[in-house]
Amino acid sequence: MRLKKVFAGALAAAMLMCAVAVPAFAAEEVEQENCLTSSYVQMNIPYADFYKAAGVDNASEIDAVTSATRNKTRAGNLAAGSYHVNADGTDITGVSCPVKVLTPWALKNAKQVTDADSYDITVTLKGKESTTTYTGADALFENDSYAYYKLNETPAYYITAWYNLLSGKWEFGKVHATETTVEGATVELNTNGHHTTYEMKISGFDLDYKTNKVYGVVLTTADGTEYGLHHVTNIWHQKNERSLKAKHSHSMVL
């Protein structure tokens, strides 16, 4: 009964932040921007920073995760929306998403990725080898934290960011986006998954994964505890279905 109660609250409060369709971390109020200029970039943001900006209470405990399935980490079709710093695929570091930089002068100290940057990643999944070329903004996929690519247009959604001289660190505000409430979605809970202890499948919402990226999922339990989930390790989407899976195992308790 306890498990049912906990996940009943989780299902009601599970939130998705997607490129256009379901940005659930939308800002509820306009942030004060006390600067004269700003720049729009796509930036690699570590999970802890990203979920702290989303208001997750235990964001300081959310860090990069170690991946035993190194090919999946480096497969763009499986880990879309995320990035990793290790070229051997041993980690999933955070998310790569649009950012409005309120202190553009600080970008000179971060790594800039341009259209001249390009590399190939070869992975083997289910016995099949495939090679993908990552160029320009896509080259952030396997790159440093806080590396960025300058955007030529104002994005439809973004996170505000600024560099704190006192702490010597980047800080991030709420997401500016349109919040959408999904109606009619169904949830299936499996407590004895093939790879995980708990597996939650969310179906029935219109989300085109070819044009949208899932940057994060916040899972809220009945007691109000929030968990920021990771790509590949916790978050999966199923091809040819309007569904997304959130996985949680004893080895990945946050």
Side-chain angles (χ1 to χ4, degrees), residues 42 44-45 47 65 67 69-86 89-97 119 121 123 125 132 134 137-138 140-143 209 212-216 229-239 244:
Q42 184 169 327
N44 285 348
I45 307 174
Y47 278 124
V65 294
S67 174
T69 54
R70 303 182 182 185
N71 278 313
K72 294 178 181 178
T73 299
R74 305 183 76 220
N77 60 326
L78 295 178
S82 73
Y83 79 95
H84 52 277
V85 298
N86 294 329
T90 53
D91 83 300
I92 305 170
T93 315
V95 304
S96 181
C97 62
Y119 56 81
I121 293 181
V123 297
L125 296 173
T132 303
Y134 295 85
D138 292 336
L140 290 169
F141 182 54
E142 190 169 273
N143 226 306
Y209 287 99
N212 295 280
K213 295 178 181 178
V214 174
Y215 292 110
L229 305 186
H230 300 77
H231 295 78
V232 178
T233 308
N234 304 123
I235 308 168
W236 279 79
H237 75 265
Q238 292 185 299
K239 293 182 178 179
L244 177 141

Side-chain angles (χ1 to χ4, degrees), residues 17 29 42-43 57 94 105 124 134 151 158 166 191 218 223 234 246:
M17 176 193 168
E29 55 188 34
Q42 184 169 327
M43 180 181 284
D57 293 336
W105 50 265
T124 302
Y134 295 85
L151 300 176
Y158 58 85
L166 294 178
T191 59
V218 174
D223 63 2
N234 304 123

Side-chain angles (χ1 to χ4, degrees), residues 110-123:
K111 180 178 180 180
Q112 182 178 3
V113 173
T114 69
D115 291 331
D117 292 293
S118 181
Y119 56 81
D120 294 336
I121 293 181
T122 300
V123 297

